[in-house]
Amino acid sequence: MFEEEKKELPLYNFHYRCTHLFRECKDCPKTSIIIVFHNEAWSTLLRTVWSVINRSPMENLEEIILVDDASQREYLKKPLDDYVKTLPVSTKILRTNKRVGLIQARLRGAAIATGEVLTFLDAHCECTRGWLEPLLTVIRDDRTAVVCPIIDIINDQTFAYIKSFELHWGAFNWNLQFRWYTPGGSQLVKRQIDPTLPFNTPAMAGGLFSIDRKYFYEMGSYDEGMTIWGGENLEMSFRIWMCGGKVQIAPCSRVGHIFRKASPYTFPGGIKKTLYANLARVALVWMDEWTDFYFRFNEAPNAIKHEQNISSRLQLKKELKCKSFEWYLENVWPEHFFPTRNRFFGHIRNVAVDWCLVKPDTKGISNQPVGLATLEPCIKRNVTLEMFVMTKEGFVMTDDSICLDAPETKSGPVAKVRIMACNGAERQRWSYNNSTKELRHVTNQKCLDVSDSSKSSEGLIIEDCNGEESQKWILEPVPWNNY
Ligand code: UD2
Ligand code: MN
């Protein structure tokens, strides 16, 4: 099967330097593949299953476990039972008798798995040639690594396979939504030296990963208090990192996934009892002083946080002697844009106009807000659109990893100030003088200024410093934790 395929299928995916990984996997562990689904389409479910069968080395494939999370569709019942009996790889179907959600469905699948490694997939994927070997190689060499493929995109209209951007890692924003950002310093350098090496990621997307089966249980598998959908990916990422393991992306492994615009299924009990409850659990167990930051600015999870019983997860955290969330931010994600004890956090108010700097609402590539830096009337409520962090290094950043940015030209026409994806570059550094109230652009020593005090749409500029009120800024701290 494998030989024939080579002629027909494009090598969609990988870098030519990845080819050697095919040959290196002879002593790799065997894996069980666990796929959970609720009312999945026949074609996408079977595309996932057949891509596993056709594109995994048989000697590394222990079994496939399908967990049907109380689907109502008829074809997923007896017709699916009959169909899997004809498959060339041992395939089991488990069925939950009532809807339990993806976290608990995965736990049921894992409980009957016999492979040394567990590999989880969503039910609408396509694995490409050579997808499995790079994942197993990482775990063979380090059983504390939880490893993900690069996730390519399957178009949800045409079902075509589209290669996605490689230079991404996973993290999250102030609302604990999972996001792809550009990796920082050391991991970026690693990519440039050898694009086949696995690199660290602060968080995983959640659906597609391999983990040593015994390690999965030693580390507390999943939080069984979580239901239906959401949050388990951050919970696992925090737990693995803080309790001694690592989360990585193996760039030679590529799996396509259908990203759907809307959820095709219901959330029993509503989003409050499911997603927000799950996120509240993540914050309560793992985020230490940032727990309060999350709840201050996220009302819905805040309202239900008291309903959560998290004692067994706190117990686990203690038994595993896990490090702090501060350690995690400093060491795993030093480029993060959360407030810390030695960063300013709050409003940046212009003295002349008495308006505040705001985060733009236009979106750029990878869905990040970008645009001209503008002012708007300051909002007094706990709205994060007007909250900025200023770091010791001089980066003025806000939610979703965007930074105040200005060109590095020393002379020339008036330079407009923009809000762009943070990239650690010199041109994004500013210095604040507490007595003059100036915000100076570090590379050209010009001052942040308002172009036309009557119109916010004109945006901000950098100008020669002149001591005028339009160049004076007040950094108004907003409390973000209880300490
Ligand atoms: C992402 C992850 C997903 C999961 C989720 C957060 C990827 C590509 N996908 O969202 O795996 O981590 O974030 O929780 O990283 N399902 C059930 N029962 C349910 C709901 C869902 O079995 O009650 C199944 C569903 O059929 C699918 C899988 O769980 O196979 C993941 O659900 P999704 O595809 O709707 O999640 P996605 O990709 O939006
Ligand atoms: Mn999915």
Side-chain angles (χ1 to χ4, degrees):
M1 201 180 302
F2 204 60
E3 282 305 312
E4 273 167 46
E5 229 187 30
K6 265 187 202 160
K7 277 177 246 140
E8 291 161 28
L9 285 166
L11 287 175
Y12 299 127
N13 56 39
F14 47 70
H15 199 277
Y16 71 97
R17 284 167 71 180
C18 291
T19 333
H20 75 281
L21 285 170
F22 278 131
R23 294 186 293 268
E24 277 183 12
C25 217
K26 292 284 174 260
D27 49 354
C28 278
K30 278 190 160 191
T31 185
S32 300
I33 309 282
I34 301 171
I35 300 167
V36 305
F37 61 91
H38 174 72
N39 284 345
E40 190 66 41
W42 177 270
S43 56
T44 51
L45 175 64
L46 270 298
R47 180 177 180 173
T48 313
V49 170
W50 273 110
S51 71
V52 168
I53 296 173
N54 285 338
R55 297 181 184 152
S56 311
M58 283 303 147
E59 63 272 23
N60 298 120
L61 203 56
E62 177 77 31
E63 63 194 339
I64 298 172
I65 298 171
L66 302 178
V67 187
D68 171 9
D69 187 13
S71 301
Q72 293 107 345
R73 304 201 176 154
E74 279 309 314
Y75 60 79
L76 293 171
K77 296 175 182 172
K78 184 156 188 305
L80 185 63
D81 281 334
D82 292 344
Y83 188 83
V84 301
K85 287 187 195 127
T86 68
L87 294 174
V89 170
S90 157
T91 307
K92 301 187 181 97
I93 304 187
L94 289 183
R95 300 190 195 266
T96 63
N97 42 26
K98 69 172 194 358
R99 180 96 178 271
V100 295
L102 73 94
I103 298 123
Q104 288 164 36
R106 281 184 196 157
L107 283 170
R108 303 215 189 163
I112 65 152
T114 55
E116 202 176 323
V117 169
L118 306 176
T119 299
F120 295 94
L121 292 175
D122 274 9
H124 33 260
C125 291
E126 179 180 333
C127 304
T128 65
R129 284 213 309 121
W131 76 287
L132 188 59
E133 296 89 330
L135 302 177
L136 296 179
T137 315
V138 174
I139 296 177
R140 175 197 62 194
D141 298 343
D142 179 355
R143 71 185 290 271
T144 73
V146 177
V147 52
C148 311
I150 288 189
I151 307 178
D152 286 318
I153 299 158
I154 299 175
N155 184 293
D156 67 344
Q157 300 298 313
T158 64
F159 297 95
Y161 194 105
I162 302 153
K163 222 172 145 170
S164 77
F165 189 54
E166 290 188 21
L167 265 183
H168 272 163
W169 70 1
F172 47 92
N173 66 12
W174 290 350
N175 305 323
L176 294 184
Q177 288 163 324
F178 177 83
R179 288 282 182 267
W180 298 109
Y181 300 121
T182 307
S186 62
Q187 299 308 306
L188 200 59
V189 171
K190 201 170 180 182
R191 294 282 297 131
Q192 282 153 357
I193 295 171
D194 185 348
T196 72
L197 290 179
F199 57 93
N200 293 343
T201 179
M204 62 164 146
L208 289 52
F209 66 96
S210 294
I211 183 169
D212 179 279
R213 179 165 51 84
K214 293 203 180 101
Y215 188 66
F216 178 68
Y217 289 108
E218 282 163 32
M219 299 301 281
S221 61
Y222 273 127
D223 177 352
E224 296 191 36
M226 290 189 172
T227 59
I228 304 297
W229 187 97
E232 92 295 341
N233 56 329
L234 293 187
E235 194 274 343
M236 179 172 261
S237 306
F238 294 170
R239 177 161 44 83
I240 294 294
W241 274 118
M242 289 164 64
C243 313
K246 50 183 78 70
V247 184
Q248 297 192 318
I249 293 172
C252 289
S253 171
R254 306 194 71 126
V255 177
H257 169 263
I258 306 177
F259 290 91
R260 301 180 280 205
K261 288 182 190 79
S263 221
Y265 44 74
T266 58
F267 280 57
I271 200 158
K272 280 197 182 153
K273 289 241 178 289
T274 53
L275 173 62
Y276 291 142
N278 294 351
L279 291 176
R281 297 180 70 83
V282 176
L284 288 166
V285 176
W286 296 104
M287 292 176 73
D288 305 332
E289 54 199 277
W290 286 266
T291 303
D292 194 43
F293 172 69
Y294 176 67
F295 288 123
R296 271 174 195 251
F297 301 109
N298 290 276
E299 252 172 70
N302 186 46
I304 44 121
K305 71 177 179 206
H306 302 289
E307 296 164 21
Q308 305 306 318
N309 180 350
I310 49 156
S311 50
S312 67
R313 298 309 279 180
L314 290 175
Q315 179 65 28
L316 172 81
K317 186 178 173 184
K318 210 157 122 196
E319 281 165 11
L320 294 174
K321 301 193 173 62
C322 306
K323 296 189 183 85
S324 67
F325 198 70
E326 183 177 36
W327 174 89
Y328 168 84
L329 288 177
E330 273 174 15
N331 295 279
V332 181
W333 191 21
E335 306 77 11
H336 76 86
F337 44 84
F338 279 66
T340 67
R341 264 175 266 174
N342 48 26
R343 287 176 170 187
F344 162 78
F345 175 75
H347 299 281
I348 300 183
R349 183 192 290 266
N350 182 270
V351 171
V353 193
D354 200 31
W355 282 13
C356 288
L357 187 62
V358 288
K359 178 182 170 186
D361 57 8
T362 45
K363 299 276 164 88
I365 22 165
S366 71
N367 221 20
Q368 274 172 315
V370 287
L372 292 178
T374 58
L375 301 178
E376 274 178 24
C378 307
I379 308 167
K380 289 270 186 258
R381 288 174 299 128
N382 272 356
V383 176
T384 50
L385 283 177
E386 286 183 356
M387 311 234 180
F388 286 80
V389 158
M390 186 164 179
T391 68
K392 290 193 307 290
E393 298 76 27
F395 296 112
V396 177
M397 34 176 46
T398 186
D399 195 10
D400 280 307
S401 194
I402 56 173
C403 281
L404 202 60
D405 183 295
E408 280 177 53
T409 47
K410 288 221 168 58
S411 54
V414 190
K416 294 212 162 165
V417 175
R418 306 183 63 84
I419 288 205
M420 306 240 303
C422 301
N423 57 20
E426 283 296 300
R427 58 179 278 166
Q428 294 189 340
R429 289 181 58 208
W430 302 81
S431 66
Y432 182 66
N433 184 322
N434 220 351
S435 46
T436 63
K437 304 268 178 272
E438 288 165 356
L439 254 172
R440 273 181 196 242
H441 189 238
V442 169
T443 47
N444 58 29
Q445 288 300 312
K446 290 189 180 207
C447 278
L448 185 66
D449 201 339
V450 186
S451 55
D452 176 345
S453 51
S454 60
K455 278 189 245 141
S456 71
S457 60
E458 294 271 301
L460 301 177
I461 52 171
I462 42 173
E463 266 290 8
D464 292 334
C465 300
N466 56 24
E468 305 255 341
E469 298 238 301
S470 67
Q471 293 188 352
K472 290 194 194 319
W473 301 86
I474 300 171
L475 266 52
E476 291 174 353
V478 169
W480 59 272
N481 65 14
N482 293 330
Y483 291 73

